Structures are given as structure tokens and as C-alpha cells.
Amino acid sequence: MSATSQTDKLVRMANQIAAFFRSYPEQEAVAGIHKHLVAFWTPRMRDRLAEYAPQAGDRLDPLVVAAIASTSDDPGPIRPATYDPHLLGAGASDAG
């Protein structure tokens, strides 16, 4: 197993996302990072990163810190059934 912790990996990935959005205006960058985290990271991954953020210091990009603090209710482009199997088939038509 790697010497790198799970938290280290999350920090590295989050910082890579921030690097992608670095050229955007700050507000758009924060929104883009937030949407990406919501769409493609599990709630557990986001929670772990949010718990670590206060002690991260300069290890975590400031854009990521702002995105974590963002309170958007936007669920992102991923359908709920993708991350919650209990919702599989919800809203599907019976017409056949």
C-alpha cells in the first residue's frame, strides 16, 4: 500500500481541479470546482476533504477551500440514481 494517505490523495485531486479552473474568474472557478466535487466525488470524499480543510494550511488551494464552503443546492449533472441505487428507476416510464 502507498505511503500516501487517502486525505493526501483527495488534496492532490482537489488541487488538480483547482489548477484546471485557475484561468477562470474567481467566482466562476469556485462554482466550477464545487459543481465538479458534487457531481463526481462521493459525499464521503467531500466530507473528508471538508473536515481536513481547516488544518490544511497552504496544502489546499484557496479556490478549493472556497468551493467547499459554497452552499449551492445544485446536485450537478449526475442523475441521483447514479450515486443512490435506491433511486434506480425513479421517474422511469411504465409505457412499454
Side-chain angles (χ1 to χ4, degrees):
M1 186 163 153
S2 172
T4 305
S5 73
Q6 289 295 95
T7 302
D8 290 339
K9 291 176 185 177
L10 294 176
V11 167
R12 185 183 74 238
M13 289 189 300
N15 286 339
Q16 288 172 336
I17 297 165
F20 172 83
F21 284 102
R22 176 70 46 213
S23 64
Y24 287 65
E26 185 174 346
Q27 190 173 13
E28 288 180 40
V30 169
I33 294 165
H34 178 79
K35 285 182 180 184
H36 183 93
L37 295 176
V38 169
F40 300 107
W41 285 33
T42 65
R44 183 175 179 202
M45 291 167 69
R46 293 191 309 266
D47 291 345
R48 181 176 282 173
L49 188 64
E51 289 171 7
Y52 177 72
Q55 63 194 6
D58 64 349
R59 289 193 65 223
L60 196 55
D61 190 294
L63 290 174
V64 174
V65 174
I68 292 169
S70 177
T71 57
S72 171
D73 292 334
D74 182 10
I78 305 301
R79 296 181 334 149
T82 303
Y83 55 82
D84 187 352
H86 295 98
L87 298 176
L88 191 59
S93 172
D94 291 340

